[in-house]
Amino acid sequence: QVRLQESGPGLVKPAQTLSLTCAVSGDAITATTYCWNWIRQPPGKGPEWMGVICGTGTTIYNPSLESRTAISRDTSKNQFTLQLTSLTPEDTAVYYCARSYNDCVDSWGQGTQVTVSS
């Protein structure tokens, strides 16, 4: 059974860069069957898909965030990383990593709260 676990800072300052890591166990992130996503949910709003890295290494981003977002992976550690630049308070959210199959999310991490504040 796959398990995903997010880690990263809970509090970051405006204009800084956020870096979050998702450690995956129970499945290889290089397997071509699945893709690995970052999704966030701001307070009082619905979830927002941010981007994905698939088993082939291909990345796809939400156009509204593409200029500030980078997703990469470390296959030796079986983990993938989100970087989000030029943070503003509007980036405050719970950030989730998730696995998808045929564009449907089937497994989620527990989520990590990120607050952008000076």
Side-chain angles (χ1 to χ4, degrees):
Q1 182 175 352
V2 68
R3 182 171 181 268
L4 301 94
Q5 179 67 59
E6 304 91 348
S7 61
L11 179 65
V12 288
K13 296 185 184 299
Q16 289 187 338
T17 295
L18 172 67
S19 183
L20 295 175
T21 297
C22 181
V24 179
S25 59
D27 200 359
I29 62 171
T30 54
T32 56
T33 307
Y34 297 109
C35 292
W36 306 91
N37 302 260
W38 286 101
I39 299 165
R40 67 181 183 179
Q41 185 162 17
K45 298 183 180 180
E48 178 182 35
W49 177 77
M50 301 181 71
V52 65
I53 185 165
C54 291
T56 57
T58 300
T59 53
I60 305 172
Y61 298 106
N62 184 327
S64 69
L65 296 169
E66 186 167 11
S67 64
R68 300 196 293 129
T69 306
I71 298 175
S72 59
R73 65 183 184 176
D74 185 336
T75 58
S76 68
K77 296 181 180 179
N78 209 44
Q79 61 189 31
F80 61 107
T81 300
L82 170 73
Q83 288 198 316
L84 184 65
T85 63
S86 303
L87 294 172
T88 73
E90 287 66 40
D91 293 310
T92 294
V94 178
Y95 285 74
Y96 298 90
C97 59
R99 187 183 76 173
S100 63
Y101 173 72
N102 284 348
D103 296 331
C104 294
V105 172
D106 65 359
S107 297
W108 294 79
Q110 66 181 23
T112 187
Q113 173 70 46
V114 174
T115 301
V116 181
S117 176
S118 55

